[in-house]
Amino acid sequence: MRWDRPILTDSGGFQVFSLGDLRTISEEGVEFKSHLDGSKHFFSPESVMEIENDLGADIIMAFDECVEYPATYEYTKQSMERTTRWAKRCKAAHKRPEDQGLFGIIQGGFYKDLRERSAKDLIDLDLPGYAIGGISVGEPKKEFIDILQYTAPLMPKNKPRYLMGVGTPDYLIEAAIAGIDMCDCVLPTRIARNGTAMTWNGKVVVRNATYERDFTPLDAQCDCYTCKNYTRAYIRHLVKANEILGIRLLSIHNLRFLTKLMERVKIEIENDNLLSFRNEFYKQYGYDV
């Protein structure tokens, strides 16, 4: 990849979740059909570890099962327990523990007792880091924050805390408030493919006609390559013409916006002002406070 910085690979648990009726979950693993040609494939904790070991990422994730929202208590409990058993199998199959950190994924849906048990059982495995999985899967924001704030304190203070699948500005700020260290999401590049930019004043859907003759940058406060060199009008032209450069420029901007947001969050944490910043940002961005 020629990327001389830390690399994290996921185990495929969320991707399995997204396949819906195309997959079958058992104790041994997951069988699924390709959405491209219908061919069958099988993932087990052991095969996932083999793949992640071969890829050589610095942080690798244990194979887990992510349940849909809403899900019954009974099924969520079974899934959580299976995720713990799979984590044990992943640890046993992990061939490069000296240079690849294996993270466990806390599951349990939106049931606090299951979250607590999942965290305890995984912490007993003494893994290098831990993640919260299975939220930000379509639930109301209030429930997301409730489970996040309940689960994060259950995680070890001396190891990385990772919140999976979160990339909107408000959720990133809420994650920082809860004590999370790491987040990931495809959102900045996904919305770039749809012609949308994040700015300090909210989203800009640059493909809209209103930007046809807008010769200002995507965000006057941004220092990214895109905002220094291109206008909204030109990027709109590229997107409407299906030129891949438009998507690339929007991706560059969205990624820089989020990294700059988190730089600001770090400053506000140091100044003990994060909650006030959250409220100010929500108003400016257009979120409900």
Side-chain angles (χ1 to χ4, degrees):
M1 292 175 61
R2 307 294 295 173
W3 180 254
D4 190 23
R5 295 186 182 186
I7 298 174
L8 181 152
T9 52
D10 197 2
S11 63
F14 182 82
Q15 288 69 31
V16 166
F17 161 78
S18 69
L19 290 171
D21 294 337
L22 295 176
R23 47 60 166 170
T24 303
I25 301 172
S26 67
E27 185 64 26
E28 288 306 307
V30 179
E31 182 178 77
F32 61 93
K33 293 182 180 179
S34 168
H35 68 286
L36 299 175
D37 60 9
S39 58
K40 291 185 177 181
H41 304 270
F42 182 79
F43 278 1
S44 68
E46 291 76 16
S47 67
V48 166
M49 283 298 96
E50 182 179 3
I51 293 169
E52 295 198 84
N53 285 161
D54 288 344
L55 289 172
D58 303 280
I59 297 174
I60 62 177
M61 305 305 298
F63 197 36
D64 66 319
E65 181 186 354
C66 179
V67 297
E68 62 185 6
Y69 175 87
T72 65
Y73 183 89
E74 290 74 18
Y75 185 83
T76 304
K77 180 174 181 291
Q78 293 175 13
S79 170
M80 178 273 294
E81 292 172 343
R82 181 184 294 121
T83 290
T84 299
R85 292 192 294 271
W86 283 0
K88 293 177 180 178
R89 289 167 59 183
C90 284
K91 182 178 180 180
H94 185 18
K95 302 301 183 184
R96 299 176 58 183
E98 69 285 350
D99 58 4
Q100 289 182 291
L102 174 63
F103 281 28
I105 304 176
I106 299 169
Q107 291 289 354
F110 291 84
Y111 302 99
K112 292 181 178 179
D113 62 321
L114 298 183
R115 287 281 171 181
E116 185 170 354
R117 179 179 164 192
S118 177
K120 180 182 181 303
D121 291 345
L122 290 173
I123 290 170
D124 287 344
L125 296 180
D126 193 24
L127 299 172
Y130 293 92
I132 300 175
I135 60 176
S136 190
V137 290
E139 74 280 358
K141 184 176 180 178
K142 182 178 180 181
E143 293 192 38
F144 164 83
I145 294 175
D146 184 45
I147 289 296
L148 169 63
Q149 292 181 343
Y150 183 82
T151 307
L154 302 174
M155 305 164 79
K157 294 181 179 181
N158 63 335
K159 295 183 178 182
R161 297 178 176 185
Y162 169 30
L163 175 59
M164 307 182 75
V166 165
T168 59
D170 55 335
Y171 277 27
L172 290 174
I173 293 172
E174 296 296 344
I177 292 172
I180 295 297
D181 303 300
M182 305 163 50
C183 297
D184 83 297
C185 195
V186 301
L187 182 92
T189 52
R190 174 182 288 167
I191 66 172
R193 293 196 296 271
N194 295 325
T196 300
M198 299 175 181
T199 79
W200 288 95
N201 293 308
K203 291 182 181 178
V204 170
V205 185
V206 75
R207 68 184 306 128
N208 289 350
T210 187
Y211 302 109
E212 183 177 7
R213 296 186 179 276
D214 187 338
F215 300 107
T216 62
L218 291 171
D219 190 341
Q221 301 181 57
C222 185
D223 60 359
C224 77
Y225 172 81
T226 301
C227 289
K228 287 181 177 179
N229 294 281
Y230 299 93
T231 66
R232 294 177 176 186
Y234 184 62
I235 296 171
R236 178 183 184 275
H237 157 71
L238 294 174
V239 171
K240 297 293 286 185
N242 293 320
E243 289 282 356
I244 196 169
L245 177 60
I247 296 172
R248 288 178 175 175
L249 293 175
L250 285 166
S251 295
I252 289 169
H253 167 75
N254 286 342
L255 290 168
R256 177 54 183 149
F257 172 83
L258 290 181
T259 57
K260 195 169 184 178
L261 171 66
M262 298 315 293
E263 289 170 2
R264 177 70 180 276
V265 165
K266 290 179 182 179
I267 293 173
E268 301 299 343
I269 290 173
E270 292 173 354
N271 293 334
D272 195 22
N273 192 49
L274 185 54
L275 293 179
S276 295
F277 169 73
R278 187 266 309 272
N279 294 338
E280 294 169 6
F281 179 84
Y282 272 30
K283 291 178 181 178
Q284 186 175 349
Y285 202 86
Y287 293 127
D288 292 332
V289 177

